[in-house]
């Protein structure tokens, strides 16, 4: 069967014909054993997924399946065997990629796909090409001292967040399936010597490419300059054809485009309050897609210093408010890796400047949408925004709830009159975790801010209906907050998939009010504040 046939059918995965253009374009490791080791002069190592005992489908993305031309499989059977690493479809030539990375600010040397295995590439009905990759499919040469597996809780979180981010309109890798392996995996979740057996699972991730900044860094650090060039040329030919040419200037323009895409991605993270948690350069996609969902989280109370990752609790390097700056730092590491191809540091500097300007412009445009304004930049806007974020940070105030509720105030009661003259604006009241925490000065400042925003909006030139529409499209109502994800995990672990299905259904339409879903849009309940997985998470996965 040729790739053309894939385009016309709702195929069973087991019958789909896969391609292997990465394998054809780049050199493989000469050794294909999965013994942990340092690999040289290769972009990847051929590895076969290690079979599991009882694969069972737990979740599937219908719209991604349809985009790939694949039929939803039954709970068990040939397609699920492939999604669990127990079988291969025609044309698959599975491999683990070799990459390095800067972890928490330090060069970590070789990392690589320690538990991810790319199966192959699938031509889609619309003529695109997507890679399918299993995460948790067993050891590879890059597994170091770990087992190559993943637990249900982290796999469910990755599946859920990939779906959420896509539907939120944030550039992301995607997830096609979540499969239980039937095997147990031992993890020390709190790193306190209490290792426990947990159910294992595998996510099938999908992206045009899973190439990371770290793939370039490892070749550059190992002085494999020919390989560096071949990797760049392959990525450009397959994903950035408009930057072909192979000249220093063409590579520099390509780098600038990577900078632009990364800036747009991070501006959207900031818009929805997403905190990646582990922005090491091995987790940064060369396509500007959110990649590797580990100890991520969603900002609830607005706090730029917040991170869900307990491993980063002391330094807070990857906290919400640091993400834009870390994006720049990571791109500077990529610039260093690409220097042998470009030669001129000034050209790389231009790319980094592009990052800075794109981030600033995109964030300002998104913030204007969040506030229902045509644009920001009028006299007084800067002060209005500074005051808003100062007030949001002053006492624990739920950022998503505040912005969403603000959209309902575009038209409404005149705030000067009656109770409104002395009470808190409704969006603030709705978003406060402890109403008593605000003192009278802060209450007065909130009232003043609200009037200012009202007046600014009334004179902005957009009709009220249009302002409300823009605000609703920029400010999500439903997010898979960590405690909601944890409830779905607890139920799934006990064999009940209904809460996961329900949560998936809600987050697939994040901007639209859905009947009976009020609890999904509510503030985090108090019990969840300090419960494991409900706010903070370790890297154990
Ligand atoms: P992460 O922090 O999840 O991005 O992972 C950093 C590195 O550790 C990557 O090379 C991963 O492939 C590897 N890694 C993480 N967990 C495991 C595991 N359970 N088995 C093998 N390798 C792993
Ligand atoms: Mg990673």
């Amino acid at each position: 069967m040729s790739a053309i046939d894939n385009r016309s059918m709702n195929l069973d995965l087991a019958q789909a014909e896969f391609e292997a253009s990465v394998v054809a374009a780049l050199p493989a490791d000469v050794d294909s054993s999965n013994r942990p080791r340092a690999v040289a002069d290769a972009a990847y190592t051929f590895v076969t997924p290690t079979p599991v005992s009882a694969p069972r489908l737990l979740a599937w993305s219908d719209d991604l399946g349809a985009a790939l031309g694949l039929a939803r499989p039954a709970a068990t059977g040939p397609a699920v065997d492939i999604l669990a690493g127990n079988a291969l479809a025609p044309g698959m030539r599975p491999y683990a990629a070799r990459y390095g990375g800067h972890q928490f600010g330090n060069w970590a040397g070789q990392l690589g796909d320690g538990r991810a295995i790319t199966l192959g590439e699938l031509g889609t009905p619309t003529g695109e090409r997507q890679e399918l990759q299993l995460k948790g499919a067993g050891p590879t040469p890059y597994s170091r001292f770990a087992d190559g597996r993943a637990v249900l809780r982290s796999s469910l979180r990755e599946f859920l967040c990939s779906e959420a981010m896509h539907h939120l309109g944030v550039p992301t890798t995607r997830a096609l399936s979540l499969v239980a392996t039937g095997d147990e995996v031992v993890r020390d979740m709190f790193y306190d010597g209490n290792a426990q057996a947990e159910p294992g699972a595998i996510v099938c991730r999908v992206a045009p490419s899973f190439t990371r900044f770290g793939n370039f860094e490892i070749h550059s650090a190992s002085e494999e300059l020919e390989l560096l060039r071949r990797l760049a040329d392959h990525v450009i030919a397959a994903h950035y054809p408009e930057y072909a040419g192979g000249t220093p200037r063409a590579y520099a323009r390509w780098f600038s485009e990577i900078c632009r895409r990364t800036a747009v991605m991070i501006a959207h993270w900031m818009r929805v309050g997403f905190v990646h948690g582990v922005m090491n350069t091995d987790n940064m996609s060369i396509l500007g897609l959110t990649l590797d969902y580990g100890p991520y989280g969603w900002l609830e109370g607005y706090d730029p210093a917040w991170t869900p990752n307990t491993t980063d609790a002391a330094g807070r390097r990857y906290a919400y408010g640091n993400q834009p700056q870390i994006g720049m730092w990571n791109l500077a590491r990529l610039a260093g890796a690409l220097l042998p191809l470009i030669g001129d540091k000034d050209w790389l500097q231009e790319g980094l400047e592009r990052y800075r300007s794109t981030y600033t412009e995109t964030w300002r445009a998104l913030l204007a949408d969040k506030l229902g304004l045509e644009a920001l930049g009028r006299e007084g806007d800067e002060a209005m925004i500074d005051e808003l974020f100062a007030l949001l940070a002053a006492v624990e105030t739920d950022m998503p709830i505040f912005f969403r509720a603000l959209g309902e105030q575009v038209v409404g009661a005149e705030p000067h009159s009656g109770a409104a003259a002395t009470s808190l604006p409704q969006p603030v009241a709705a978003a406060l975790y402890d109403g008593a925490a605000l003192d009278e000065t802060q209450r007065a400042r909130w009232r003043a801010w609200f009037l200012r925003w009202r007046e600014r909006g009334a004179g902005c030139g957009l009709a009220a209906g249009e302002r409300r529409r823009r605000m609703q499209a920029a400010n999500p109502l439903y997010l898979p907050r960590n405690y909601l994800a944890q409830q779905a995990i607890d139920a799934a672990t006990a064999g009940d998939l209904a809460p996961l299905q329900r949560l998936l259904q809600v987050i697939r339409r994040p901007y639209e009010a859905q009947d009976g879903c009020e609890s999904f849009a509510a503030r985090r309940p108090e019990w969840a504040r300090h419960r494991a997985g409900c706010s903070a998470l370790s890297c154990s996965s």
Side-chain angles (χ1 to χ4, degrees):
M1 195 181 287
S2 78
I4 301 297
D5 293 321
N6 287 353
R7 290 168 200 195
S8 53
M9 274 185 258
N10 200 18
L11 274 180
D12 187 307
L13 175 61
Q15 261 119 51
E17 181 76 30
F18 280 76
E19 295 166 53
S21 75
V22 173
V23 164
L26 299 172
D29 180 7
V30 290
D31 183 352
S32 57
S33 85
N34 60 13
R35 162 182 62 86
R37 59 203 154 83
V39 173
D41 297 317
Y44 57 87
T45 304
F46 286 116
V47 268
T48 308
T50 305
V52 299
S53 43
R56 195 165 56 84
L57 186 69
L58 300 181
W60 173 262
S61 172
D62 278 317
D63 72 328
L64 177 58
L68 294 172
L70 295 174
R72 185 190 186 106
T76 60
V80 174
D81 288 344
I82 293 167
L83 298 169
N86 283 14
L88 295 176
M92 284 179 171
R93 300 196 64 197
Y95 66 85
R98 172 173 170 243
Y99 55 81
H102 279 83
Q103 296 186 313
F104 296 94
N106 303 302
W107 173 242
Q110 176 182 296
L111 297 165
D113 284 333
R115 55 174 167 176
I117 297 178
T118 297
L119 296 175
E121 301 144 23
L122 189 61
T124 73
T126 52
E128 289 154 20
R129 190 197 285 260
Q130 298 279 347
E131 290 182 3
L132 270 65
Q133 179 181 80
L134 302 183
K135 182 166 172 182
T140 78
Y142 310 98
S143 300
R144 293 174 288 166
F145 38 80
D147 57 7
R149 293 298 184 189
V151 292
L152 174 61
R153 63 184 153 81
S154 70
S155 305
L156 186 153
R157 282 172 49 85
E158 174 136 21
F159 183 89
L160 176 66
C161 200
S162 306
E163 284 290 273
M165 294 287 266
H166 170 72
H167 292 283
L168 284 164
V170 183
T172 182
T173 63
R174 300 209 56 191
L176 178 63
S177 60
L178 171 67
V179 167
T181 60
D183 295 325
E184 290 189 325
V185 175
V186 175
R187 288 287 181 273
D188 184 355
M189 185 157 127
F190 302 106
Y191 300 117
D192 62 359
N194 288 310
Q196 302 257 326
E198 299 186 45
I202 296 175
V203 172
C204 178
R205 306 197 285 198
V206 177
S209 170
F210 288 95
T211 305
R212 302 141 189 272
F213 291 6
N215 296 69
F216 296 90
E217 290 180 275
I218 194 78
H219 294 320
S220 206
S222 314
E223 297 186 20
E224 298 162 344
L225 299 186
E226 189 45 40
L227 249 177
L228 176 70
R229 184 179 299 275
R230 281 176 71 181
L231 176 63
D233 289 347
H234 173 72
V235 167
I236 291 168
H239 309 289
Y240 289 92
E242 54 284 41
Y243 300 94
T247 62
R249 192 66 206 158
Y251 290 126
R253 288 179 49 246
W254 168 56
F255 174 69
S256 168
E257 173 61 11
I258 298 165
C259 291
R260 190 193 66 77
R261 290 196 195 183
T262 305
V264 170
M265 170 186 82
I266 295 179
H268 280 281
W269 291 0
M270 302 306 280
R271 168 176 68 86
V272 298
F274 175 77
V275 187
H276 182 286
V278 202
M279 291 176 72
N280 293 331
T281 56
D282 53 300
N283 291 338
M284 297 292 294
S285 146
I286 203 71
L287 300 184
L289 304 173
T290 313
L291 171 63
D292 272 8
Y293 292 100
Y296 66 83
W298 304 88
L299 204 59
E300 294 178 313
Y302 176 79
D303 174 5
W306 183 74
T307 172
N309 183 357
T310 53
T311 314
D312 191 27
R316 298 188 179 271
R317 178 179 174 86
Y318 299 139
Y320 174 74
N322 283 351
Q323 295 185 125
Q325 187 190 322
I326 291 290
M328 177 76 145
W329 194 90
N330 289 343
L331 285 161
R333 304 287 79 72
L334 178 63
L338 298 180
L339 185 60
L341 301 181
I342 296 171
D344 189 331
K345 283 195 176 147
D346 288 346
W347 287 354
L348 288 162
Q349 196 54 44
E350 279 171 25
L352 296 174
E353 282 308 321
R354 178 103 178 273
Y355 173 82
R356 197 191 301 278
S357 60
T358 306
Y359 177 78
T360 305
E361 272 164 38
T362 310
W363 168 241
R364 286 175 73 84
L366 294 174
L367 188 55
D369 288 343
K370 286 179 84 64
L371 292 167
L373 304 173
E374 81 296 2
L376 293 169
R378 282 199 203 168
E379 197 183 333
D381 282 355
E382 219 54 54
M384 177 180 71
I385 290 161
D386 290 349
E387 175 71 348
L388 170 62
F389 286 110
L391 283 167
L392 284 172
V395 305
E396 193 180 24
T397 313
D398 197 282
M399 182 178 89
I401 292 178
F402 170 79
F403 277 103
R404 183 74 187 191
L406 193 64
E408 302 304 328
Q409 302 292 319
V410 169
V411 282
E414 183 49 54
H416 297 272
S417 63
T422 53
S423 67
L424 271 177
Q426 190 278 338
V428 185
L432 278 179
Y433 278 84
D434 172 9
L438 278 184
D439 62 28
E440 200 33 62
T441 318
Q442 287 164 328
R443 288 167 180 267
R445 277 172 63 192
W446 263 125
R447 285 192 291 269
W449 184 87
F450 189 69
L451 290 177
R452 196 167 164 184
W453 169 77
R454 269 278 180 90
E455 251 169 57
R456 172 67 175 82
C460 85
L462 295 174
E466 172 60 12
R467 293 186 56 214
R468 182 168 179 276
R469 195 197 59 74
R470 288 192 190 194
M471 291 179 80
Q472 291 209 333
N475 296 313
L477 178 57
Y478 306 115
L479 297 165
R481 295 172 183 248
N482 279 348
Y483 85 91
L484 295 171
Q486 189 60 41
Q487 288 176 324
I489 290 166
D490 291 342
T493 306
D496 177 9
L497 292 173
L500 171 62
Q501 297 306 346
R502 179 100 175 95
L503 182 54
L504 283 167
Q505 194 185 0
V506 173
I507 57 97
R508 281 170 178 149
R509 284 189 286 140
Y511 298 104
E512 232 177 277
Q514 297 166 47
D515 284 343
C517 295
E518 293 73 17
S519 67
F520 292 92
R523 291 190 303 266
R524 180 197 61 234
E526 209 37 47
W527 61 259
R529 186 181 292 275
H530 301 296
R531 244 203 81 189
C534 291
S535 173
L537 290 117
S538 76
C539 277
S540 158
S541 60

